[in-house]
Amino acid sequence: TAMGWCHPGERSALTAALEGRLLDLRHVLRGPIKAPEEFVIVAIDDKSIDRLQRFPVPRSALAAAVDRLTEAGAKVLAIDLLLLEREPGTEGDALSSGDTVLAAALARHGHVILATTEACDVPPDSTLVKRNELQLAANVGPGHQRPMGSVGFRLPVDEFAQLASLAHVNLPRDADRSTRRMVLAMPIGTSQYLPALPLEAVRALRDVPRDAVQLAPGESIELGNQPILTDAYNAIGINHYGAEGAFPTYSLIDVIEGKVDPDRFAGRAVFIGATALASGDVFLSPFAAGLPGVEVLASVAANIA
């Protein structure tokens, strides 16, 4: 019983540190486990950057990968990249050629999730937020913790955001810099909540209607008929599967060049994100000193599923 699952960081700093270290110990004692096969990673790795000679990678290359995955029958594409600004190359409000082909690729797939992130003093677009927000349960308990005032967010380029679902990718770090939990419903604006990218990926993969996802802040999220218990901050603990490579992972450039069997993606949720050293998007986990953020997100999705 003493080794039972707990939500780290929910109370004082002292108990957070104790719970976090015990959680790490349980992972190590258990050892790595097999990750569900319905989640796959397409990595913007060092090989891809060497070949494309640019980081961030050109939007045209991302579009080519999206088209390859669409042809392969990937059911959901969860893109862990902050496409917050237009690609340079044109004057005025016109899209660059790379942005234009990426927008077309997103539209052709039809089940794409784009990353957003919390940002101070950046008011969220109310129309986009309303379309992507979580529905609140009828009876909301008093135990949730919501910031005072309005919570700002950075959203993707409007031409992309209109063609996709939006979800946040914020991953909090504990005092020792480890990543042990993720907020599944992030406050946005003054009263709304935006889903985490892993939650939205599972919703789309399971064909759960958006209005069948109900949030009771500080208590739980109902994903169709599946209850997900959360802490006061709408977070869950992360059950890590292992070090980098726990999920089937394929290089972006190999996907673009058609070197990966399409069956590896058919019917699956594909997470696209950076694993290259240049990205700096790494987190401390029980199994790795530098676990790519995209793998943490895939782990959360697998935990929910």
Side-chain angles (χ1 to χ4, degrees):
T1 303
M3 296 294 285
W5 188 270
C6 57
H7 294 296
E10 193 171 352
R11 298 290 181 259
S12 70
L14 178 62
T15 58
L18 177 60
E19 290 174 355
R21 294 301 174 86
L22 286 175
L23 182 57
D24 291 346
L25 177 61
R26 294 198 292 274
H27 276 97
V28 173
L29 291 176
R30 184 208 65 194
I33 57 175
K34 182 176 175 57
E37 295 182 354
E38 56 194 336
F39 300 99
V40 177
I41 293 173
V42 169
I44 302 174
D45 55 4
D46 291 303
K47 176 181 177 180
S48 299
I49 293 175
D50 288 345
R51 189 75 61 83
L52 296 170
Q53 290 295 298
R54 240 181 69 187
F55 185 81
V57 298
R59 299 279 169 85
S60 58
L62 183 58
V66 168
D67 278 338
R68 284 286 190 182
L69 293 167
T70 301
E71 295 165 3
K75 187 170 183 178
V76 179
L77 300 184
I79 302 181
D80 179 28
L81 299 171
L82 294 172
L83 306 176
L84 307 178
E85 300 174 349
R86 298 183 179 198
E87 191 174 50
T90 59
E91 296 181 358
D93 294 332
L95 292 179
S96 69
S97 58
D99 282 343
T100 299
V101 296
L102 177 56
L106 298 179
R108 279 191 290 272
H109 189 279
H111 292 91
V112 178
I113 309 165
L114 296 181
T116 68
T117 186
E118 185 180 1
C120 295
D121 303 323
V122 180
D125 182 286
S126 59
T127 303
L128 282 174
V129 172
K130 187 172 182 60
R131 197 183 76 199
N132 291 278
E133 68 177 325
L134 289 167
Q135 302 297 312
L136 294 179
N139 298 317
V140 177
H144 65 287
Q145 301 288 334
R146 186 182 172 95
M148 298 292 292
S150 180
V151 180
F153 258 73
R154 295 292 307 277
L155 304 180
V157 173
D158 188 67
E159 287 83 353
F160 301 156
Q162 298 292 346
L163 298 170
S165 298
L166 304 182
H168 83 85
V169 292
N170 292 52
L171 286 167
R173 302 176 196 262
D174 288 348
D176 62 358
R177 310 301 295 166
S178 290
T179 301
R180 301 186 177 100
R181 59 196 175 97
M182 185 174 193
V183 176
L184 296 187
M186 180 75 77
I188 185 172
T190 57
S191 61
Q192 297 161 299
Y193 290 86
L194 196 66
L197 188 140
L199 177 64
E200 180 64 13
V202 174
R203 182 196 70 78
L205 186 66
R206 297 282 183 260
D207 296 315
V208 177
R210 191 175 294 276
D211 59 7
V213 182
Q214 298 285 319
L215 167 67
E219 297 179 4
S220 66
I221 296 173
E222 294 286 334
L223 182 61
N225 296 323
Q226 176 188 355
I228 305 169
L229 299 180
T230 67
D231 67 10
Y233 299 92
N234 306 314
I236 61 171
I238 301 174
N239 184 8
H240 291 280
Y241 292 88
E244 184 175 356
F247 290 84
T249 302
Y250 306 97
S251 175
L252 180 85
I253 195 66
D254 287 343
V255 172
I256 293 173
E257 295 177 352
K259 296 179 179 179
V260 184
D261 186 344
D263 288 343
R264 305 291 177 90
F265 306 116
R268 292 173 169 83
V270 180
F271 285 76
I272 303 175
T275 64
L277 291 176
S279 73
D281 185 26
V282 293
F283 296 82
L284 182 63
S285 81
F287 298 111
L291 188 67
V294 66
E295 188 138 2
V296 179
L297 297 176
S299 297
V300 176
N303 291 170
I304 296 170

